[in-house]
Amino acid sequence: MATSQIKMNLRPALSTKNTTATNTLTTNYRQELKALKPGAANAKVIVNPYKTSPLSGLVLVKTQAATRVTLTVHGDTPATTMTKKLSGYQTTHRVGVLGLYADRTNRVTLTFTKQNGQKSYATYTMKTGAAPKDIGHNVLKTSKPKKMALGTGHTRLTFAVSSQGITYGLDAAGQIRWYSTEKISHIFKQLANNHLLILTKISPNAHKYNALRETDFYGRVYRQYNFNGLFPTRQDSSKLATNTVVHHDAIELPNHNLLLTVDDGSNKYVEDTMIEINYKTAKIVKVIDLKRILPKSAYTQYDGTHRPDGKIDWFHQNSMYYDKQRDELIVSGRNQDMMFAINYKTTKLKWILSSPEKLPQRYQKYLLTPTNKNFRYSGGQHAVMLLHPNQTTGNTIDLQYYDNNVPVTRGETKQSQKWSAGEIVKINQLKGTVEKTWSFGKTLGKRNFTNIVGSSYAVGKGNTLIGFGYADSGKRSEFVEVNRKTGKIVFDVDRTKFAHGDWSYRAQRMSLYPGSASVGLNVIK
């Protein structure tokens, strides 16, 4: 389709409905804070202040003298006790509380430090309800907190990002310390301003996920983009059906615009297009149709998978990563068993990492040449990302990804379908070579083979967190943190008894406090 037609089909639009609702709550809290009398005993304690994050809280308090606040959310162990220092000396405090336990009376302590060093303390209680049963059972198999990448104050959780359902975060003991009541699908990312970007539903009863929302761990809504998603059906192009527009991934570009993987409204092909939308206006400013980049035979002769609606999912783009140092976009397509890089401005190919099988001759020059003996190409891979995002010198990059080890289009006998793995390769872009430098998963065997979904990300301390999201044919998800040097597992949780389709698409280690713990009570415009 023409770019103009794709823009016409998608038409993202800003929605203010949820922003207005949370602004009303914010205004109320600001008025309550203003009315408070100084003194820790007069504090206002609120659980779930923005109604969609039940394990969050807000403490509004004034002090006679200017003080700096340190927050402590008491855990069952030292490694699960979270602390966060707020910056600056204030007399008016808006302390955000994250990391409460479900179904208990939590203890939260604020330490007030005056400029002369004098300290005082106040402990508050916050009662929470039970977590939803749909989360399933999370069983801790291994936990070595001193060797885990938990961050300053132990505020980093392991987030199980849902394919379609409930996204939640686990502490070092495998306990739920955050979840959202909003249904989330695939996308759960941190933005440069420390907010979250999630893919959710326009309304709770909607069938499809067509709302891209900027929010935070408290559930406040800062911005939302709605997508209509009415596309021609494969059976009858004169009829329209509701369809998910944004599917597997979204990333923030350096100019703060959002790059999204989308269905473009075709009645024949799906999941092979990207759009860049203006962050402030939602206007589409760039369209990248992968059919204009990759071989025509890849989509006209595709028979690797078949969809119930008859549309052709020839590429199935499941992740992307923008390399700002080189202005390059790295893309992963499950159904082509392929990762490749393009110059973002020109969309010209830079390199391709895949088996040469079924790749036309004129594309062979882009193929990376393995330097390892018996190099095994990935099959059906996910979650492509640079290991060192800020690497600015040299011609090499280190690429991390999750190898499902299942051949879809460019199959090899080396792709056994007996195990899956987190992997890292070193790519020399000048020489056009690739070297496998790390892999973990083979020793876990068939139990952790996942035909679809999965992730593998470095999380610090030389560790990688691997999400085996579709183990046992989707009946189980497993989150494993392993040290890359020793191969020793330092954290391992099994998730079972969740709803079909709600397997964990990715496992991500993220801090509950990427920025300040002081909640701004300004109205969002």
Side-chain angles (χ1 to χ4, degrees):
M1 290 185 295
T3 296
S4 59
Q5 182 62 54
I6 293 173
K7 290 182 177 182
M8 183 72 70
N9 290 346
L10 302 187
R11 290 192 236 182
L14 285 169
S15 169
T16 60
K17 177 181 177 181
N18 291 290
T19 306
T20 300
T22 53
N23 274 343
T24 299
L25 293 168
T26 296
T27 299
N28 291 339
Y29 300 142
R30 188 171 67 244
Q31 292 172 346
E32 289 182 343
L33 178 59
K34 184 178 179 180
L36 284 180
K37 293 181 179 180
N42 299 318
K44 175 76 174 180
V45 179
I46 304 149
V47 176
N48 194 10
Y50 288 99
K51 310 306 180 185
T52 60
S53 182
L55 304 187
S56 71
L58 177 63
V59 178
L60 305 175
V61 61
K62 288 180 178 178
T63 52
Q64 291 283 3
T67 61
R68 186 180 64 198
V69 172
T70 298
L71 165 70
T72 301
V73 181
H74 297 280
D76 294 336
T77 65
T80 56
T81 294
M82 300 181 189
T83 60
K84 176 68 176 179
K85 289 184 178 181
L86 283 71
S87 61
Y89 291 87
Q90 316 286 341
T91 57
T92 302
H93 309 277
R94 311 170 306 278
V95 183
V97 180
L98 295 164
L100 300 175
Y101 288 93
D103 199 21
R104 71 165 71 173
T105 299
N106 293 265
R107 291 172 54 247
V108 174
T109 296
L110 300 187
T111 302
F112 301 96
T113 305
K114 294 182 180 179
Q115 289 173 311
N116 63 5
Q118 183 181 353
K119 296 184 184 223
S120 60
Y121 305 87
T123 296
Y124 305 100
T125 58
M126 293 186 166
K127 181 71 173 69
T128 58
K133 292 183 179 179
D134 288 347
I135 285 178
H137 289 193
N138 289 275
V139 178
L140 183 68
K141 297 168 64 179
T142 302
S143 179
K144 299 178 180 178
K146 291 183 179 180
K147 296 183 178 181
M148 294 174 63
L150 299 176
T152 302
H154 303 141
T155 62
R156 300 183 75 200
L157 301 181
T158 298
F159 286 89
V161 181
S162 176
S163 288
Q164 47 181 356
I166 295 181
T167 290
Y168 61 95
L170 300 174
D171 65 14
Q175 294 294 307
I176 297 167
R177 304 293 291 274
W178 185 90
Y179 69 90
S180 175
T181 56
E182 297 285 68
K183 298 293 186 181
I184 295 174
S185 175
H186 292 97
I187 297 169
F188 188 80
K189 297 287 188 71
Q190 183 181 321
L191 298 172
N193 61 8
N194 294 321
H195 295 163
L196 295 173
L197 186 69
I198 67 170
L199 183 64
T200 185
K201 296 183 176 184
I202 294 176
S203 61
N205 296 325
H207 180 58
K208 301 291 185 179
Y209 291 81
N210 275 329
L212 193 64
R213 179 180 299 171
E214 181 183 347
T215 181
D216 59 22
F217 284 115
Y218 305 98
R220 188 173 181 184
V221 180
Y222 299 87
R223 198 177 301 264
Q224 181 165 311
Y225 312 89
N226 287 351
F227 295 81
N228 190 5
L230 289 172
F231 293 169
T233 64
R234 175 67 164 153
Q235 292 78 9
D236 185 348
S237 60
S238 66
K239 294 182 179 180
L240 299 178
T242 301
N243 193 71
T244 295
V245 177
V246 185
H247 48 90
H248 285 78
D249 208 359
I251 59 175
E252 182 182 19
L253 298 171
N255 61 3
H256 303 300
N257 285 354
L258 301 176
L259 185 64
L260 318 174
T261 58
V262 297
D263 274 0
D264 60 14
S266 167
N267 68 343
K268 189 171 184 179
Y269 300 108
V270 297
E271 300 190 9
D272 61 2
T273 303
M274 291 171 277
I275 60 170
E276 178 186 339
I277 64 171
N278 182 281
Y279 170 72
K280 294 181 178 180
T281 66
K283 181 180 178 181
I284 298 174
V285 297
K286 188 180 183 73
V287 174
I288 302 175
D289 184 346
L290 296 180
K291 292 187 293 297
R292 299 180 184 274
I293 297 172
L294 296 178
K296 185 176 181 179
S297 58
Y299 53 90
T300 59
Q301 300 175 25
Y302 178 76
D303 62 359
T305 57
H306 301 277
R307 287 168 54 103
D309 62 5
K311 293 187 178 183
I312 301 171
D313 189 11
W314 67 277
F315 190 74
H316 195 90
Q317 183 179 353
N318 54 36
S319 63
M320 55 189 170
Y321 182 83
Y322 178 75
D323 180 359
K324 63 182 179 181
Q325 308 299 339
R326 299 163 184 82
D327 189 31
E328 291 178 358
L329 185 70
I330 303 172
V331 173
S332 167
R334 176 189 186 271
N335 289 350
Q336 290 294 317
D337 306 305
M338 176 188 290
M339 291 170 279
F340 65 82
I342 59 172
N343 176 278
Y344 187 70
K345 183 177 181 180
T346 66
T347 70
K348 298 296 184 183
L349 274 168
K350 303 291 289 187
W351 51 259
I352 296 174
L353 177 54
S354 79
S355 169
E357 182 184 351
K358 297 182 182 179
L359 201 64
Q361 185 62 39
R362 70 186 186 93
Y363 283 84
Q364 299 282 323
K365 63 182 179 181
Y366 299 110
L367 283 170
L368 297 173
T369 303
T371 59
N372 305 83
K373 185 178 180 180
N374 297 321
F375 183 90
R376 185 183 56 79
Y377 291 99
S378 63
Q381 75 293 318
H382 285 75
V384 62
M385 180 181 286
L386 288 187
L387 181 65
H388 307 294
N390 297 318
Q391 182 178 341
T392 59
T393 59
N395 300 307
T396 61
I397 57 173
D398 295 285
L399 199 65
Q400 57 183 341
Y401 55 88
Y402 180 81
D403 182 9
N404 294 78
N405 193 20
V406 52
V408 184
T409 297
R410 301 167 211 289
E412 288 189 319
T413 56
K414 296 174 187 174
Q415 293 171 354
S416 65
Q417 302 185 65
K418 294 181 180 178
W419 48 271
S420 299
E423 303 207 318
I424 299 173
V425 295
K426 185 178 291 293
I427 295 173
N428 188 309
Q429 298 191 98
L430 183 63
K431 295 181 180 179
T433 59
V434 58
E435 175 189 6
K436 186 76 62 71
T437 58
W438 183 79
S439 179
F440 184 86
K442 185 175 182 179
T443 57
L444 302 181
K446 186 75 172 180
R447 184 176 188 275
N448 280 44
F449 167 71
T450 62
N451 181 57
I452 59 173
V453 312
S455 60
S456 179
Y457 301 121
V459 293
K461 284 194 171 183
N463 297 349
T464 286
L465 177 66
I466 308 175
F468 299 93
Y470 194 78
D472 296 339
S473 300
K475 297 181 180 66
R476 183 172 61 85
S477 294
E478 186 168 358
F479 320 122
V480 176
E481 183 180 354
V482 59
N483 183 270
R484 293 192 298 276
K485 185 175 181 180
T486 65
K488 299 294 185 181
I489 294 174
V490 300
F491 180 70
D492 192 347
V493 169
D494 256 344
R495 180 194 181 207
T496 57
K497 299 183 179 180
F498 48 84
H500 179 74
D502 194 14
W503 44 80
S504 299
Y505 176 64
R506 286 173 173 159
Q508 298 174 176
R509 182 67 52 77
M510 299 169 65
S511 174
L512 285 172
Y513 295 100
S516 173
S518 181
V519 177
L521 296 181
N522 55 311
V523 172
I524 306 302
K525 296 180 180 180

